[in-house]
Amino acid sequence: MDVRKLVLKETAVMAVGQTLCVAAMLGVFALLGRLDTIALRGGILGGVLAVLNHFFLAMGVVMATQKAQSEDARGSKGMVQMSFLFRTVVLFVVMFALLKSGLCNVFSLVLPLLFIRPILIVERFFQKDGEVKS
């Protein structure tokens, strides 16, 4: 399978997982009587940011791997480190701006970033033997 197709497949799985997790989170907000437009907006934006972060992580690793195959491994390691730093700074700045503007609930914005690990674990559980693992 083409690596870029695999990245898109992984991103689609992450998007579906984030949608389900954010819906469950918003359900909990509703049960607690805290569901409003601010929480809804935070959940949606938090889920989108988490999916974009995952996508850019995967693309950065693919580009670094291709660079390591064609050049030296030291340059690809630096590329992955810079990608991590850049993604983290951009994510922090965007989330900080959203929170300071009062457009989003802090919990509904941050929690989708924590859903990534459980989504990946569940995906691996349902993965068939012999499938390419990313």
Side-chain angles (χ1 to χ4, degrees):
M1 180 182 276
D2 181 30
V3 178
R4 294 188 193 273
K5 286 182 183 178
L6 183 62
V7 168
L8 291 176
K9 177 184 171 262
E10 287 286 322
T11 304
V13 168
M14 181 60 62
V16 170
Q18 281 290 341
T19 302
L20 295 173
C21 289
V22 167
M25 176 189 71
L26 293 174
V28 171
F29 269 81
L31 288 174
L32 296 173
R34 300 284 190 180
L35 184 61
D36 56 4
T37 57
I38 292 175
L40 182 64
R41 193 177 305 124
I44 292 170
L45 291 174
V48 168
L49 289 173
V51 170
L52 287 174
N53 185 46
H54 182 75
F55 173 74
F56 288 119
L57 164 71
M59 288 306 295
V61 169
V62 166
M63 291 184 340
T65 303
Q66 290 172 346
K67 184 175 182 172
Q69 289 173 346
S70 64
E71 295 176 16
D72 65 318
R74 180 176 269 170
S76 64
K77 180 182 176 186
M79 187 179 211
V80 170
Q81 290 172 337
M82 287 304 296
S83 168
F84 172 77
L85 180 65
F86 181 72
R87 284 182 301 105
T88 303
V89 168
V90 168
L91 197 59
F92 176 79
V93 168
V94 170
M95 292 178 88
F96 184 78
L98 287 170
L99 291 173
K100 286 301 275 185
S101 69
L103 293 174
C104 300
N105 178 299
V106 65
F107 294 110
S108 65
L109 185 64
V110 173
L111 283 176
L113 293 173
L114 301 177
F115 297 153
I116 293 173
R117 177 66 62 190
I119 291 168
L120 292 175
I121 290 171
V122 169
E123 179 198 4
R124 297 297 180 253
F125 180 75
F126 286 108
Q127 200 167 40
K128 297 175 188 163
D129 289 338
E131 267 190 303
V132 177
K133 296 182 179 181
S134 60

